[in-house]
């Protein structure tokens, strides 16, 4: 049987206060050390139980654990992407994409501004907790805006995640209160387009 590996909380690529004024240090610290860490811990616990059930051939228990694996595994995957697609304003955050990604955004959404508007509308309108995504559809070779509930990873919709925005209340409420639209609008100031372009280039190349 394969050796069980446990998942680790990845390092944050910047300080808690680095994304201010768009995202406060208080939100960042709680989001990273409590929420993301919680998904990692709970994923490892669920996987441990899963492997235990596997060794006992307890299929019912293996099935019962799938929701916890999906939720916490999705949370780990999503947040691991989220930290890297953001950057401090002074260190590459904001602006616009370049190269092939910029071209495909123009082709699929008619303009960068139209993409931004459509993305913000869809993401702001998510009911309850979830994520707004720009994803790449490999089969049709096109970009799509998609929304996911809870921590469902974008791969469940057959898309490769290019950039995503967490709209769980824990991601913005301490700073933006109930006005999710302001948070979604503000986050464009810290999108790390250079890294997002790398994600896109990898998605179209593989
Ligand atoms: Mn979150």
């Amino acid at each position: 049987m394969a050796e069980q590996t446990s998942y680790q909380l990845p390092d944050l690529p910047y300080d808690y206060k680095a994304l201010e004024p768009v995202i406060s240090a208080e939100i960042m610290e709680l989001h990273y050390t409590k929420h993301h860490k919680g998904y990692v811990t709970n994923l490892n616990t669920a996987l441990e139980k899963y492997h235990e059930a596997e060794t006992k051939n307890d299929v019912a228990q293996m099935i019962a654990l799938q929701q916890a694996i999906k939720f916490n595994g999705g949370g780990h995957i999503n947040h691991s992407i989220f930290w890297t697609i953001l950057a401090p304003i002074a260190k590459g955050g904001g602006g616009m994409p370049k190269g092939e990604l910029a071209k495909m955004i123009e082709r699929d959404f008619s303009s960068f501004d139209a993409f931004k508007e459509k993305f913000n509308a869809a993401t702001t309108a998510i009911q309850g907790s979830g994520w707004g995504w720009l994803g790449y559809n490999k089969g049709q070779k096109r970009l799509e805006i998609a929304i996911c509930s809870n921590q469902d990873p974008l791969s469940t919709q057959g898309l490769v995640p290019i950039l995503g925005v967490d709209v769980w209340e824990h991601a913005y409420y301490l700073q933006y209160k109930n006005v999710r639209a302001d948070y979604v609008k503000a986050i464009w100031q810290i999108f790390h387009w250079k890294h997002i372009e790398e994600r896109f280039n990898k998605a179209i190349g593989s």
Side-chain angles (χ1 to χ4, degrees), residues 31 35-36 39 79 82-83 131 151 166-168 170-171:
H31 202 171
H35 294 276
H36 190 172
Y39 299 124
H79 289 84
F82 189 54
W83 310 132
W131 291 72
Q151 295 296 358
D166 184 347
V167 293
W168 280 58
H170 67 229

Side-chain angles (χ1 to χ4, degrees), residues 5-19:
T5 53
S6 65
Y7 290 89
Q8 308 280 338
L9 186 65
D11 288 338
L12 255 195
Y14 33 71
D15 296 337
Y16 298 134
K17 65 176 190 315
L19 302 181

Side-chain angles (χ1 to χ4, degrees), residues 93-112:
M96 285 170 71
K98 296 187 189 110
E100 289 306 308
L101 176 58
K103 278 184 211 161
M104 201 176 279
I105 285 173
E106 273 171 36
R107 188 198 69 184
D108 294 343
F109 302 101
S110 80
S111 71
F112 179 73

Side-chain angles (χ1 to χ4, degrees), residues 187-200:
I187 207 165
W188 292 76
Q189 296 171 64
I190 51 170
F191 277 153
H192 190 193
W193 288 111
K194 193 165 172 281
H195 177 71
I196 295 165
E197 282 166 35
E198 282 167 16
R199 295 186 59 83
F200 171 74

Side-chain angles (χ1 to χ4, degrees), residues 28 72 81 89 175:
M28 283 303 297
N72 294 292
I81 295 169
I89 293 170
Q175 192 175 353

